[in-house]
Amino acid sequence: MSEQVLKNGNVMARSRTRTIAQVAMLGAVAGVLMNFEFPLPFLAPSFYQLDFSEVPVLIGSFAMGPVAGVLIELVKILVHLVTKGTMTAGVGDLANFLFGCAYVVPAGLIYRMRHVKTRKHAVMGMALGTVLTTVLACFMNAFVLLPAYGKAFGMPVEAFIEMGAAVHSGVNNLLTFAVMIIVPFNLFKYTLTSVIVFLIYKRIRVVLRGD
């Protein structure tokens, strides 16, 4: 019995070590990817930029569960801050963390709660994550983030409204900014991320625990 307990303990220790290593590796990759961002001027003002850092975070959430996804998201932000710093007084970094978690946690929960993990369950999780993140981003930008940006950089909210109106003529206040700018931008961003993960699903399936 004692030998079996010892053996089980060794297996658990190796599993924890592997998990820690995977979290660190995926977080580092995501942090580097976060540095490569580009604007989508047809959707949003230039201070909203697209990157693919959520791809490795979502893979980790599928492989190890939503808690690991949150930890990878945290490592991603820390790596980004160390390698590039912040240009948003920390507001953008906090928002990125919150929105990333809102995306990968539901996806990881739905995928891993199923006894048989399939593409269908992965798509269901990614779709839910995309919708939840878009709704959260809409309201947080309108009522929290944009006012916080303005306060941090001494900019009136009217400046953001003007930048939004340059992209979409219907923007005339923060709420319409969120609906006409934030919603399309986030739907595009997280749908594109989901499509990428969907396309590489077969290749990464071998590392998804439980598959």
Side-chain angles (χ1 to χ4, degrees):
M1 180 66 69
S2 60
E3 290 183 0
Q4 184 63 38
V5 171
L6 181 60
K7 182 178 179 180
N8 291 340
N10 290 336
V11 171
M12 292 179 61
R14 286 196 297 270
S15 178
R16 284 195 296 268
T17 301
R18 181 188 178 201
T19 298
I20 293 171
Q22 287 180 335
V23 167
M25 178 189 68
L26 291 171
V29 172
V32 172
L33 287 176
M34 192 176 173
N35 292 335
F36 297 94
E37 52 187 5
F38 51 92
L40 298 174
F42 59 94
L43 282 179
S46 59
F47 60 89
Y48 288 103
Q49 307 229 346
L50 175 68
D51 65 72
F52 299 105
S53 62
E54 301 303 341
V55 171
V57 183
L58 181 58
I59 291 172
S61 190
F62 279 166
M64 296 171 283
V67 173
V70 172
L71 294 176
I72 296 169
E73 194 74 43
L74 179 60
V75 173
K76 180 194 81 172
I77 297 298
L78 294 176
V79 169
H80 176 71
L81 288 174
V82 169
T83 57
K84 193 172 182 179
T86 180
M87 295 182 291
T88 61
V91 177
D93 304 293
L94 177 60
N96 190 286
F97 174 77
L98 293 176
F99 297 153
C101 290
Y103 173 60
V104 303
V105 168
L109 279 173
I110 289 179
Y111 180 77
R112 291 183 63 83
M113 72 169 30
R114 302 290 182 170
H115 179 65
V116 179
K117 302 177 181 68
T118 66
R119 280 187 172 188
K120 178 182 177 181
H121 300 136
V123 170
M124 289 171 55
M126 291 186 294
L128 178 60
T130 296
V131 172
L132 288 178
T133 307
T134 300
V135 172
L136 178 64
C138 178
F139 286 100
M140 283 199 65
N141 272 275
F143 300 110
V144 179
L145 296 176
L146 288 174
Y149 273 121
K151 185 175 181 180
F153 294 100
M155 294 175 59
V157 293
E158 288 76 15
F160 298 115
I161 296 171
E162 290 177 6
M163 287 185 280
V167 177
H168 195 297
S169 60
V171 174
N172 53 35
N173 54 43
L174 287 184
L175 188 57
T176 54
F177 183 104
V179 172
M180 297 179 181
I181 301 295
I182 303 302
V183 169
F185 178 85
N186 280 277
L187 284 176
F188 181 85
K189 174 181 178 179
Y190 292 103
T191 298
L192 181 58
T193 299
S194 299
V195 169
I196 292 173
V197 173
F198 181 83
L199 292 175
I200 64 176
Y201 181 89
K202 283 188 176 180
R203 297 182 181 181
I204 66 174
R205 186 172 55 189
V206 293
V207 300
L208 300 183
R209 295 180 176 181
D211 277 23

